[in-house]
Amino acid sequence: MKNVGQAIYDLAGKLFPICRSITGNGFRQSLEMIREVVPEIQVFEVPSGTQVFDWTVPKEWNINGGWIKNKRGETIVDFKDCNLHVLGYSVPIHRMVSREELLEHVYTQPDQPDWIPYVTSYYKERWGFCMSERQKQTLNDDEYEVCIDSTLKEGSLTYGELILSGETEDEIFFSTYLCHPSMANNELSGPCVQTALIKYLQSLPSHRYTYRFVFIPETIGSITYLSRNLDMMQRHVKAGFVLSCVGDDRTYSYVSTKYENTLTDRVLENVLKFHYPNYIRYTFMKRASDERQYGSAGVDLPVCAFCRSKYHEYPEYHTSADNMDLISPKGLQGAYEVMVKVINALENNYYYLMTCKCEPQLGKRGLYPTVSQKGTYDAARVMQHFIAYADGKNDLIGISNILNIPIDELIPIKDKLMAHQLLSVK
């Protein structure tokens, strides 16, 4: 497992240069690169104009380039240097404009003067450029030539799905978005960690749950996906996670489900409190990614958002500073390991019941020290505590919380008791 973080980072590095959006060839190309790792992912195309609940799938946007030049033909900004330079979903343009008109179409982040902001206009047609505030201050000519070589026309929205069937039809749902251009944490960390989790599950000989994975464009993608799959998901999804901003080294955080009382909340809080106790929990009212749709009225799926530094909460968010230097193999590995612990906890999370009355005789089964001496009983005490609370009233998460012992330390105890037929699943 220790080399997984580097593999995740390397995949993110391959994807980083691609200009992605909520539709278009950049999304398709990125998804195909992920399918080189997990070829079982199915690709779906939903035509522009399709009604998806209260929304409509937009026109497809593609871009080849864009630049601003002064009257001397000198390039001021170029899409080829950074694909954040062009406003996302810009309509095509190629003409001379006055400085005053250009400034009406230039977007900067004045409080972060050296960084290029990420700005979009998906549902109102306009053109524009993004640059650093310092670059903007150099625009002193009277006239500029602007060019955006893009298309906005009928096409389709693309998404990827993989369902790994388990021993039951109960589902664990993972969702991540693949629609931002070159930003490493708020984009590529989620899809790349999710890809590694798929490989982990595929390596297991079996798993109890069915796992549903989707790679979608944010917001319109989750709405589109729900419009096609909601009934099935409401019947089967028991826990779900939106993976986003999971690549830095700073902290761990999550956005709870609406009422904070689902299996999703319980398992993620349990894992984080034992292994990363300085994590930050945000309420559902701090939602801003696809957990908005999964927790919306009438949908009400038990889905939270899992992050390291949460979107909106770190300074590089939605700027050119969210680059490959912001994420690291170690940061990605850590997020991956949290989710592996979550998966293992869910796979083992049953209500357990002892098969005999009173404490079983552990010594004759080699589960208890045969020499009585101070300090020899610590491990046995944990097993005895587990036995006491394996009364059919507590699932494994509940026992872990009562005993204040991580689930990954209780699973071997559970396995030993079951191997000796002392424990059953209620």
Side-chain angles (χ1 to χ4, degrees):
M1 184 183 291
K2 64 183 179 179
N3 295 322
V4 173
Q6 186 64 54
I8 298 171
Y9 186 86
D10 291 345
L11 177 59
K14 292 177 182 178
L15 291 163
F16 187 81
I18 300 171
C19 183
R20 288 166 290 274
S21 191
I22 57 174
T23 62
N25 293 325
F27 190 104
R28 295 187 185 96
Q29 181 185 357
S30 300
L31 189 56
E32 284 305 307
M33 292 177 70
I34 290 173
R35 291 183 72 241
E36 291 175 6
V37 182
V38 185
E40 297 86 354
I41 294 172
Q42 291 185 288
V43 179
F44 296 85
E45 300 282 351
V46 183
S48 301
T50 301
Q51 193 71 26
V52 288
F53 297 132
D54 196 42
W55 294 61
T56 303
V57 174
K59 294 178 181 179
E60 181 177 323
W61 184 69
N62 286 291
I63 183 166
N64 297 311
W67 41 259
I68 303 171
K69 293 182 180 179
N70 60 24
K71 289 189 293 186
R72 296 175 296 282
E74 298 167 335
T75 300
I76 308 302
V77 297
D78 197 328
F79 174 84
K80 293 179 181 178
D81 297 330
C82 176
N83 55 38
L84 299 184
H85 271 313
V86 173
L87 174 76
Y89 252 63
S90 282
V91 296
I93 186 173
H94 189 185
R95 61 183 173 88
M96 301 298 293
V97 298
S98 67
R99 177 178 181 275
E100 289 72 21
E101 182 180 0
L102 175 60
L103 291 178
E104 292 176 358
H105 295 269
V106 167
Y107 300 86
T108 68
Q109 196 72 31
D111 61 331
Q112 297 172 321
D114 296 313
W115 298 347
I116 305 164
Y118 167 55
V119 187
T120 63
S121 182
Y122 296 136
Y123 301 104
K124 182 174 176 57
E125 293 188 7
R126 54 166 56 90
W127 63 271
F129 291 90
C130 301
M131 62 182 70
S132 72
E133 179 65 19
R134 296 195 195 282
Q135 285 178 305
K136 179 182 176 181
Q137 298 305 321
T138 67
L139 298 176
N140 298 319
D141 287 7
D142 295 332
E143 197 174 35
Y144 291 88
E145 182 182 5
V146 297
C147 176
I148 297 175
D149 181 10
S150 66
T151 59
L152 185 60
K153 59 186 180 181
E154 298 299 311
S156 61
L157 176 151
T158 310
Y159 70 84
E161 176 195 68
L162 175 62
I163 298 176
L164 299 177
S165 297
E167 296 168 355
T168 72
E169 292 184 347
D170 291 343
E171 291 186 2
I172 308 300
F173 176 53
F174 283 92
S175 176
T176 192
Y177 51 88
L178 191 58
C179 56
H180 289 44
S182 295
M183 286 176 288
N185 199 38
N186 180 220
E187 172 66 359
L188 294 174
S189 63
C192 295
V193 167
Q194 181 160 294
T195 301
L197 290 174
I198 292 171
K199 298 299 290 182
Y200 170 74
L201 279 159
Q202 288 177 327
S203 74
L204 300 179
S206 63
H207 42 84
R208 164 192 177 186
Y209 285 104
T210 292
Y211 288 82
R212 181 184 294 262
F213 294 91
V214 296
F215 298 81
I216 54 178
E218 193 175 20
T219 304
I220 187 62
S222 54
I223 292 170
T224 300
Y225 188 79
L226 287 168
S227 74
R228 295 178 148 208
N229 298 279
L230 180 57
D231 290 345
M232 176 71 72
M233 294 175 72
Q234 286 180 328
R235 289 198 302 272
H236 296 296
V237 171
K238 304 304 177 185
F241 309 88
V242 174
L243 302 184
S244 174
C245 304
V246 289
D248 67 357
D249 292 305
R250 292 169 177 151
T251 187
Y252 290 92
S253 58
Y254 90 99
V255 180
S256 70
T257 63
K258 190 186 300 183
Y259 295 108
E260 306 178 9
N261 59 353
T262 68
L263 176 61
T264 310
D265 298 283
R266 295 180 65 231
V267 69
L268 189 50
E269 280 202 346
N270 179 280
V271 169
L272 289 174
K273 79 175 182 180
F274 284 115
H275 297 283
Y276 311 96
N278 294 323
Y279 77 97
I280 301 171
R281 183 178 68 84
Y282 296 92
T283 73
F284 188 71
M285 287 180 281
K286 290 288 188 178
R287 67 197 182 281
S289 186
D290 285 319
E291 69 277 5
R292 292 158 31 232
Q293 311 309 327
Y294 300 131
S296 62
V299 176
D300 295 312
L301 293 172
V303 177
C304 73
F306 171 63
C307 310
R308 294 204 64 148
S309 293
K310 178 182 170 290
Y311 46 76
H312 293 301
E313 303 293 335
Y314 63 97
E316 300 89 351
Y317 173 74
H318 273 201
T319 75
S320 56
D322 190 347
N323 55 37
M324 291 299 294
D325 292 332
L326 182 61
I327 66 173
S328 70
K330 179 182 176 183
L332 294 161
Q333 176 95 24
Y336 167 81
E337 290 177 357
V338 168
M339 283 293 111
V340 167
K341 290 180 187 296
V342 165
I343 289 169
N344 291 339
L346 289 169
E347 287 289 311
N348 288 276
N349 191 54
Y350 294 93
Y351 284 81
Y352 292 100
L353 181 64
M354 294 300 295
T355 58
C356 64
K357 308 296 182 185
C358 296
E359 290 184 357
Q361 188 176 3
L362 300 176
K364 69 181 182 182
R365 297 176 172 90
L367 301 176
Y368 196 82
T370 57
V371 174
S372 178
Q373 183 178 357
K374 186 170 74 171
T376 60
Y377 295 103
D378 293 347
R381 271 312 262 175
V382 174
M383 181 174 286
Q384 287 177 323
H385 290 327
F386 184 97
I387 288 168
Y389 288 97
D391 54 8
K393 299 177 182 178
N394 306 291
D395 61 6
L396 192 61
I397 298 171
I399 295 174
S400 169
N401 289 335
I402 292 168
L403 302 187
N404 200 31
I405 295 174
I407 286 176
D408 42 332
E409 294 181 23
L410 295 181
I411 290 174
I413 294 173
K414 178 266 298 181
D415 289 342
K416 289 179 182 178
L417 292 172
M418 294 198 78
H420 287 278
Q421 299 181 328
L422 294 172
L423 191 66
S424 64
V425 173
K426 184 177 178 182

